[in-house]
Amino acid sequence: MPVEIVVKDACVTVGEGPHWDEASKTLYYVDIYANSVFRWNSVTKEVQKITIDKTIGFVIPSKKGGVIVGLGKTISRLDWDSKKVTVLHEVDQDKQTRFNDGKCDARGRLWAENQQTLIKFEPGTESILGVPDGMTMDTDGKLWVAFFFGGRVVQFDPDTGKSVSVIHMPAHRTSSCCFGGTDYDEMFVTCSRYGCPEEELSKYPLSGSVFKVTDLGAKGNPAVQFEG
């Protein structure tokens, strides 16, 4: 399963939330603590970036225009052309939290989770694979999980709980993955550069980049846009 660089040094903090938009042949992703959202055009190879004033945990295109972003403690709509932000809903006004991952189900309903602003991993909490992070599912019902501190994406059979295949990534802090491409037989993988010590960056200089994996032997389903 060859791994190639799509966008080198794409993110300076935590790259997350890859979402393939079939209509525009574009990959969306975010840089959480850099308060930035990106879209990479697979045809022109152009990368566009919008920076706002709060952390951005996820990005999902909306059928009513623009994209939906987990902006700080809010679910907001971002108009890409005007860069106008419209807050749709806010949570946890009295707590130090932020929205993290978010996805739409088959009916276009948004499911999102928030977390404490500061997450500390205690020594020994990660498994031999790393810490499970972003994931996606293929058309055969197999689960693909990115392992933070593991430098890999692992395909699991949910019926047996056993791993089926492993993609070794050139970045230790692998954060999320999604299927994309013309036939949804490519996988895009994000990773983090945030908090990497110099020793880790020397070993994994591509930390923070966005990668594409091919020859997976699997395909994904089209990502669902927000209907609301």
Side-chain angles (χ1 to χ4, degrees), residues 135-220:
M135 60 191 73
T136 190
M137 186 171 286
D138 62 31
T139 55
D140 292 325
K142 302 297 190 293
L143 196 63
W144 297 73
V145 184
F147 280 87
F148 206 86
F149 298 132
R152 67 193 73 193
V153 177
V154 182
Q155 181 192 25
F156 288 98
D157 184 333
D159 293 326
T160 65
K162 295 182 178 180
S163 62
V164 179
S165 61
V166 179
I167 307 169
H168 294 281
M169 303 300 302
H172 190 51
R173 306 183 183 213
T174 314
S175 58
S176 193
C177 55
C178 77
F179 284 98
T182 304
D183 296 319
Y184 285 89
D185 58 354
E186 301 171 344
M187 178 172 286
F188 295 96
V189 182
T190 55
C191 62
S192 173
R193 191 180 180 87
Y194 187 72
C196 292
E198 287 301 320
E199 182 180 357
E200 184 177 326
L201 290 176
S202 296
K203 186 176 181 179
Y204 301 101
L206 294 175
S207 296
S209 300
V210 175
F211 305 97
K212 180 174 73 173
V213 187
T214 52
D215 295 344
L216 294 162
K219 293 184 178 182

